[in-house]
């Protein structure tokens, strides 16, 4: 089982509009971050996590045009507003709608915003077959476990993937670690986790909190994502503890 980080940035990406690189060195290509998304795969199964506004470019860079399912962590724009590009994925798979899964609130919000994609309209077929995301589900040879995470006024789906005696956790867009989340992310081979910035934030974890949790949960390998323009790649890579590293767009890791 392996992952490809499609996008490692926060909602504004890096650089921000206006060519605002903040503290990030523009000469380092690993500082150019599109909005957060990830692909989990085995030899026989692919799962896309979120449809960021940058999804088209992300999938082109990865040379990926099909997958077994897409899981939405929540309905915020930076995680779902590339949804329309699933239309071309549907065409690439011969007209078969893409399988989509989301928790109840996110599913309702997606259907309100993108009704045409789920229900179709005259002369426009449905692009996505949307279904509830349960606490546990098997997709191909990957077992997915889900836990709701506090994210300001809503919740996001925390995800654990198990296959072939390997485990990967994906924790984005949350602001505290609950007891059930600790169980979900305990003993992972690979933990991919939101580390927005060093300064505290009301709806995302900051770097110190993530490092504390990584020490407690003891994943074999931790990769930081959903980072803003205050988080320079080289500086982070030089200062993070053993077993923790910053992610970057296009990074691939086997669990």
């Amino acid at each position: 089982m392996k992952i490809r980080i499609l996008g490692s940035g926060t909602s504004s990406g890096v650089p921000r509009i206006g060519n605002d690189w903040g503290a990030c060195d523009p000469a380092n290509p690993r500082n150019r971050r599109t909005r957060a998304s990830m692909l989990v795969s085995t030899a026989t199964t692919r799962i896309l996590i979120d449809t960021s506004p940058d999804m088209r470019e992300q999938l082109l860079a990865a040379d990926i045009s099909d997958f077994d399912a897409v899981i939405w962590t929540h309905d915020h724009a930076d995680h779902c507003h590339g949804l329309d590009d699933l239309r071309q994925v549907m065409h690439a798979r011969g007209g078969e709608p893409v399988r989509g899964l989301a928790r109840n609130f996110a599913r309702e919000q997606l259907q309100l915003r993108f009704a045409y994609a789920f229900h179709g309209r005259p002369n426009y077929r449905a692009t996505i077959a949307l279904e509830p995301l349960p606490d546990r589900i098997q997709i191909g040879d990957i077992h997915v476990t889900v836990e709701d995470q506090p994210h300001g006024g809503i919740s996001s789906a925390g995800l654990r993937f198990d296959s072939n005696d390997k485990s990967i956790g994906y924790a984005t867009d949350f602001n505290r670690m609950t007891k059930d989340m600790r169980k979900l992310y305990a003993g992972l081979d690979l933990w991919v986790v939101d580390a927005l910035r060093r300064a505290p934030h009301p709806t995302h974890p900051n770097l110190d909190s993530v490092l504390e949790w990584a020490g407690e949960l003891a994943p074999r390998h931790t990769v930081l994502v959903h980072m803003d323009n205050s988080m320079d790649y080289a500086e982070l890579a030089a200062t993070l503890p053993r077993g923790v590293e910053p992610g970057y767009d296009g990074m691939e890791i086997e669990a």
Side-chain angles (χ1 to χ4, degrees):
M1 187 165 54
K2 70 175 184 179
I3 63 147
R4 180 182 174 101
I5 296 175
L6 299 173
S8 58
T10 187
S11 59
S12 54
V14 180
R16 295 175 180 174
I17 288 175
N19 234 10
D20 178 7
W21 289 88
C24 291
D25 178 4
N28 187 340
R30 292 185 177 180
N31 280 325
R32 183 174 288 275
R33 301 179 181 125
T34 58
R35 271 66 71 90
S37 179
M38 189 174 81
L39 191 76
V40 181
S41 63
T42 65
T44 59
T45 305
R46 287 177 181 159
I47 303 172
L48 176 68
I49 313 302
D50 289 331
T51 55
S52 90
D54 302 305
M55 186 180 74
R56 176 180 172 275
E57 290 296 330
Q58 292 169 344
L59 294 182
L60 286 170
D63 193 22
I64 296 293
S65 60
D66 193 13
F67 27 80
D68 295 276
V70 55
I71 295 175
W72 284 281
T73 58
H74 62 301
D75 71 301
H76 284 172
D78 55 321
H79 292 262
C80 70
H81 276 198
L83 182 149
D84 188 69
D85 284 327
L86 291 177
R87 177 167 49 96
Q88 188 55 44
V89 176
M90 180 263 291
H91 290 314
R93 54 193 284 136
E96 180 185 352
V98 178
R99 184 184 185 188
L101 302 101
R103 301 297 257 184
N104 288 341
F105 178 75
R107 195 172 75 255
E108 292 168 2
Q109 294 302 307
L110 291 174
Q111 288 177 311
L112 284 173
R113 279 180 240 169
F114 303 99
Y116 67 91
F118 302 108
H119 305 297
R121 59 177 59 157
N123 301 315
Y124 193 106
R125 72 179 72 180
T127 301
I128 304 157
L130 187 62
E131 60 188 83
L133 176 63
D135 293 344
R136 291 174 180 80
I137 189 170
Q138 188 81 20
I139 301 174
D141 62 349
I142 300 176
H143 183 74
V144 185
T145 309
V146 185
E147 186 58 55
D148 294 319
Q149 306 178 135
H151 181 39
I154 66 165
S155 63
S156 67
L159 303 169
R160 178 180 177 127
F161 306 94
D162 289 275
S163 184
N164 302 313
D165 297 320
K166 297 295 183 180
S167 56
I168 296 171
Y170 187 61
T172 190
D173 290 66
F174 66 100
N175 55 281
R176 59 186 176 87
M177 181 68 63
T178 67
K179 179 180 177 181
D180 289 333
M181 290 167 63
R182 284 181 165 87
K183 292 179 182 177
L184 182 73
Y185 298 130
L188 295 168
D189 290 294
L190 173 62
W191 191 32
V192 183
V193 56
D194 184 333
L196 180 71
R197 63 191 192 190
R198 291 177 177 81
H201 189 279
T203 61
H204 289 266
N206 68 345
L207 180 61
D208 284 347
S209 295
V210 170
L211 294 179
E212 180 179 341
W213 294 327
E216 174 190 343
L217 298 169
R220 185 170 57 84
H221 189 182
T222 299
V223 174
L224 310 181
V225 293
H226 212 292
M227 295 176 290
D228 74 5
N229 68 351
S230 69
M231 302 281 270
D232 179 73
Y233 178 88
E235 182 183 353
L236 281 168
T239 58
L240 290 172
R242 183 179 179 85
V244 182
E245 65 176 314
Y248 57 88
D249 289 24
M251 183 183 201
E252 294 188 338
I253 309 171
E254 289 195 10

